[in-house]
Amino acid sequence: MPSDDRREAVQGATIVTIIMAFVFLALRMISRIFITRRTSWDDYLMVIAWLIAFGGALTVLLSVEKGFGLMDVILDPKSIPSLKKFGYAYSILYVRISLRIMARRSGSAGQ
């Protein structure tokens, strides 16, 4: 019978993903700064995107402490409001910011 506790898997996947993203970003920035000696706006946008992703990963890790990764039947009802707050913060970090960037970019494409 599989375990009802997926918190360690969520933590592990989140930490590995954000570390791998940082390594690839660092390698890109090193190559752009020291090898080509040219950076552009998309390099800085990638740094901003990683910072936003780090914030999202942090909200996931904090929500694991409150019970994210547990089955609903064994979740403490007192932790549900905290999980909803973390979910809201996560949605702000990803969905709303990315939609605003996309809308701004598509609005300036015709100019």
Side-chain angles (χ1 to χ4, degrees), residues 31-104:
S31 71
R32 298 289 283 181
I33 293 169
F34 296 111
I35 296 173
T36 65
R37 300 198 189 287
R38 246 187 19 213
T39 57
S40 61
W41 65 270
D42 60 332
D43 298 314
Y44 301 112
L45 192 60
M46 287 182 68
V47 172
I48 292 169
W50 184 85
L51 290 171
I52 293 169
F54 181 78
L58 189 61
T59 60
V60 170
L61 293 174
L62 290 172
S63 66
V64 165
E65 296 298 318
K66 297 293 183 179
F68 182 67
L70 292 173
M71 299 295 286
D72 290 344
V73 292
I74 57 175
L75 187 62
D76 182 17
K78 294 176 186 172
S79 65
I80 291 175
S82 298
L83 287 172
K84 287 183 178 183
K85 288 178 186 175
F86 286 122
Y88 182 70
Y90 185 82
S91 72
I92 287 176
L93 283 170
Y94 278 106
V95 177
R96 293 182 183 192
I97 291 173
S98 63
L99 287 176
R100 285 188 178 159
I101 290 171
M102 184 182 71
R104 178 170 282 176

